[in-house]
Amino acid sequence: MSIIELLASISLLVLSIFFYLTKNTKSRASSKSDPNLPKSYPLIGSSVAIFANRKRLIQWTSDLIRNSPSATVVLHRFLDDSRVVTGDPANVQHMLKTQFQNYEKGSKSRRALFDFLGNGIFNIDGDSWKFQRQLSSHEFSTRSLRKFVETVVDTELSQRLIPILSAAAANNAVLDFQDILQRFAFDNICKIAFGYDPAYLLPDLPVAEFAKTFDEAAKISSGRLNSVFPHLWKIKSFLNIGSEKRLKEALLRQTIGN
């Protein structure tokens, strides 16, 4: 390569970076004018703020929405990967009902959640989703299944949840209500969907291996989408290290357990 060609290549690279940064700066002008939004930088966006709040992401984004006049914020991540977070009921209705067909999960989400959800109804789009929805809606519309669900939930409620709450009230004990409701929901889902009772909601609040591995797999899978660096999980998965190694182990334990 001649010196002229090298200089031309470098010039094109510099110009490309310049236009990219200019575009990002303009797109973030509204973010900078709003003091309630996290500071956004070229290339990395608001990754610093996202990383700082990674352990309280739901609370943090809820605060951002609450302080936003439109109840909607745009978070820019690494390399201009943007996320729109909204708490506006009209927006939610537009996306989940009125124009649902226009808001697919997309390939990024499907790839990130595939190891955990596979090609199930919660991780597909288009005709495949419609087909599975028709099957599931037909099943859940049958009287026998509705009666079965009612019986399962009523049993879990009367024989497990209420006695635990009553005992805590009588003894003036403190309960982690989120944990209690998670156990209640997990027992119901397993009994209804799999015909298996993990007995997760008992007075001694046992550690159920299946529930533990399920929860870990769910957290790591969702963490792929919430990571500051969107493609980092692929590298970790290829090298079989860190959270990706734990995910594979958790999924393997679930498979063996089933």
Side-chain angles (χ1 to χ4, degrees):
M1 178 183 292
S2 66
I3 295 179
I4 295 178
E5 291 176 331
L6 179 61
L7 291 175
S9 300
I10 294 174
S11 299
L12 287 173
L13 178 61
V14 171
L15 284 173
S16 299
I17 295 175
F18 172 77
F19 284 119
Y20 177 82
L21 294 178
T22 302
K23 172 181 173 293
N24 282 353
T25 301
K26 290 180 179 179
S27 67
R28 293 181 175 84
S30 59
S31 297
K32 291 181 179 179
S33 62
D34 190 340
N36 295 318
L37 293 179
K39 193 168 184 179
S40 185
Y41 303 92
L43 294 179
I44 65 171
S46 299
S47 296
V48 175
I50 295 173
F51 182 78
N53 291 278
R54 66 191 183 282
K55 294 185 178 180
R56 54 180 301 271
L57 199 60
I58 295 178
Q59 295 92 329
W60 179 61
T61 51
S62 297
D63 290 339
L64 292 177
I65 291 172
R66 191 179 298 111
N67 294 326
S68 171
S70 63
T72 302
V73 296
V74 179
L75 295 176
H76 299 278
R77 303 196 305 168
F78 186 66
L79 293 180
D80 204 32
D81 180 59
S82 302
R83 296 291 173 86
V84 179
V85 186
T86 184
D88 185 344
N91 290 340
V92 175
Q93 183 180 30
H94 174 79
M95 290 185 291
L96 297 184
K97 183 179 180 181
T98 311
Q99 297 296 327
F100 178 75
Q101 69 278 3
N102 294 334
Y103 295 91
E104 295 187 342
K105 299 173 184 67
S107 58
K108 287 184 180 179
S109 176
R110 289 198 301 273
R111 284 197 299 268
L113 299 176
F114 180 79
D115 291 334
F116 181 54
L117 297 177
N119 287 319
I121 191 172
F122 297 110
N123 199 39
I124 53 176
D125 292 310
D127 293 336
S128 297
W129 178 86
K130 291 179 181 178
F131 176 72
Q132 292 200 32
R133 184 182 181 278
Q134 288 175 350
L135 289 179
S136 59
S137 62
H138 174 72
E139 289 297 326
F140 278 92
S141 65
T142 60
R143 181 177 300 178
S144 59
L145 181 59
R146 290 202 303 270
K147 181 62 178 177
F148 174 67
V149 171
E150 180 182 325
T151 302
V152 168
V153 175
D154 182 66
T155 301
E156 187 76 13
L157 185 67
S158 60
Q159 296 184 9
R160 291 181 178 174
L161 180 60
I162 292 179
I164 289 176
L165 296 180
S166 299
N171 297 320
N172 199 27
V174 177
L175 291 176
D176 182 345
F177 203 52
Q178 181 174 340
D179 178 59
I180 295 295
L181 292 182
Q182 183 178 0
R183 291 170 180 270
F184 175 75
F186 192 79
D187 276 357
N188 282 316
I189 291 172
C190 286
K191 286 192 284 187
I192 293 170
F194 310 121
Y196 165 69
D197 182 7
Y200 198 32
L201 183 61
L202 294 178
D204 59 342
L205 302 179
V207 177
E209 186 63 26
F210 180 73
K212 181 181 177 182
T213 56
F214 184 91
D215 186 55
E216 184 175 24
K219 287 181 178 178
I220 295 174
S221 297
S222 61
R224 289 175 169 181
L225 292 173
N226 297 325
S227 173
V228 175
F229 304 103
H231 301 292
L232 180 61
W233 71 267
K234 296 180 181 179
I235 300 174
K236 293 165 68 175
S237 179
F238 178 77
L239 297 175
N240 194 30
I241 59 175
S243 58
E244 289 299 315
K245 181 179 180 180
R246 297 199 307 274
L247 175 61
K248 292 177 182 178
E249 292 172 347
L251 294 174
L252 180 61
R253 289 198 299 272
Q254 283 191 42
T255 303
I256 294 175
N258 291 335

